[in-house]
Amino acid sequence: MQPRIVLIINDRLLCRARATAIAALSLGLLLVGAPLAPAIAQAPAKGVSQPAPKAVPSFWDPRRRPERPDLSRLTVIRFLTETDYPPFNFTGADGNPAGFNVDLARALCEEIKVTCTVQMRRFETLLDAVASNRGDAIIASLAVTPQMRARVDFTDPYYRAPARFVSRKDGVLAEMRPEYLEGKKVGAISGSSHEAYLKVMFTDAELVPYPNDDALRAALRRGEVDYIFGDAISLAFWINGTDSADCCAFSGGPFVESRYFGEGVGIAVRKGNDLLRQALNWALFRVWEKGRYTDLWLRYFSVSPF
């Protein structure tokens, strides 16, 4: 499986989630049922084969519980999402909207106890549709950026797209540090934020630029580079798909750095619609607290980007 997410992420840099770089420690990641240590795999006991636990991102601090707003003034939430951005948004077998974003929207409406509709539109029309009151909220993997904040207000982030290293399976490392990559060939997309990060943080590696994802991944399959560094969500689908030929796996844990890749992905509402924004923030926390967010994440990401 190699969905459109692999292609769209690069094409929509300003409008898509692209959060990478400095350390998973600052993100507060969770393993299902246990805290995630600093992205270091724990070795199983000798002779015991244990599947690696799937990491699930968490962006909510249980000590900062949002106050429940007055929800009586909300009677319906008209969500807008994109037409074709699997696994986040796509048309289901029954012809109805489906995907991670869609299921999350429905869970939020159930929490708020309000009627919910989800309409699919072309990505480039979503902002205008909300501005002209043809919808109330955009849940379509819209990245929070200064440019977007000038047009809409955002909820708290509900996911990010971290950066990760990928190696061939015989070269996997549990942790990635600059000193480990001294003299190693590391591929990245030319002109990308991932390449910029490597130039600053992994100065002793031999950086090899490639024009696109296909060339980058083919180089790793052929052994032309020791590692590649890029968007973990698209890489997760490549690793788990047929195009990788089961060659490769993530090395080390996720990197997130808002200074390079923005604040993450939020739900967008019209400027000044504080009631809806606060209601969605409250519902997001509740959905996470009850474990429903974890259930959704595990359903849609068979290889976790985190």
Side-chain angles (χ1 to χ4, degrees):
M1 176 182 181
Q2 193 171 6
R4 271 187 67 207
I5 185 171
V6 175
L7 303 176
I8 296 176
I9 284 180
N10 285 330
D11 294 339
R12 294 179 179 170
L13 182 60
L14 293 180
C15 295
R16 288 297 187 190
R18 299 297 304 271
T20 50
I22 244 164
L25 294 175
S26 63
L27 180 59
L29 301 177
L30 297 180
L31 286 179
V32 181
L36 179 65
I40 303 177
Q42 301 297 316
K46 270 191 177 181
V48 178
S49 177
Q50 297 180 356
K54 292 182 183 178
V56 179
S58 172
F59 307 102
W60 298 275
D61 184 346
R63 298 167 298 181
R64 299 181 59 188
R65 180 184 301 274
E67 292 186 10
R68 186 182 189 277
D70 180 8
L71 304 177
S72 62
R73 291 179 287 164
L74 287 177
T75 57
V76 64
I77 301 176
R78 299 170 297 166
F79 277 103
L80 303 176
T81 194
E82 190 187 354
T83 55
D84 187 21
Y85 189 58
F88 295 99
N89 327 288
F90 57 91
T91 302
D94 59 0
N96 292 318
F100 177 81
N101 284 330
V102 174
D103 284 350
L104 180 59
R106 290 170 175 153
L108 297 177
C109 289
E110 289 174 15
E111 197 62 47
I112 297 170
K113 294 181 171 52
V114 68
T115 301
C116 176
T117 63
V118 182
Q119 182 186 25
M120 304 179 81
R121 303 177 66 95
R122 295 193 317 275
F123 183 81
E124 62 271 15
T125 68
L126 293 174
L127 291 171
D128 288 340
V130 162
S132 58
N133 199 30
R134 286 174 284 167
D136 300 311
I138 300 170
I139 186 163
S141 299
L142 191 65
V144 181
T145 66
Q147 295 89 340
M148 291 295 104
R149 284 192 183 277
R151 302 185 64 179
V152 291
D153 288 338
F154 282 97
T155 65
D156 297 334
Y158 66 94
Y159 84 83
R160 291 186 179 184
R164 289 187 74 174
F165 288 94
V166 175
S167 69
R168 294 184 63 84
K169 286 189 171 180
D170 58 2
V172 169
L173 295 178
E175 186 179 11
M176 303 299 287
R177 294 181 179 180
E179 59 267 29
Y180 295 170
L181 299 187
E182 182 177 356
K184 299 291 186 180
K185 291 184 177 180
V186 181
I189 300 297
S190 178
S192 68
S193 49
H194 301 99
E195 181 189 48
Y197 179 73
L198 290 173
K199 287 180 177 179
V200 172
M201 302 300 295
F202 288 81
T203 55
D204 291 330
E206 182 182 341
L207 180 57
V208 185
Y210 290 91
N212 54 52
D213 285 322
D214 288 340
L216 178 70
R217 295 164 186 173
L220 181 61
R221 285 199 308 266
R222 293 193 296 262
E224 295 175 6
V225 293
D226 301 296
Y227 301 93
I228 60 176
F229 185 66
D231 177 83
I233 291 180
S234 59
L235 285 170
F237 286 104
W238 176 69
I239 288 170
N240 197 46
T242 56
D243 286 353
S244 69
D246 199 32
C247 70
C248 306
F250 283 126
S251 252
F255 292 78
V256 292
E257 172 53 88
S258 59
R259 185 162 57 94
Y260 277 81
F261 303 102
E263 304 171 45
V265 166
I267 302 172
V269 302
R270 276 189 301 280
K271 297 288 289 184
N273 193 347
D274 290 339
L275 172 62
L276 180 55
R277 181 180 56 81
Q278 292 167 5
L280 292 172
N281 275 339
W282 175 81
L284 281 167
F285 183 91
R286 294 279 292 168
V287 167
W288 166 75
E289 187 177 42
K290 292 179 176 181
R292 298 185 67 186
Y293 181 91
T294 295
D295 292 342
L296 283 177
W297 188 268
L298 295 177
R299 182 190 309 170
Y300 283 100
F301 298 97
S302 54
V303 174
S304 178
F306 288 90

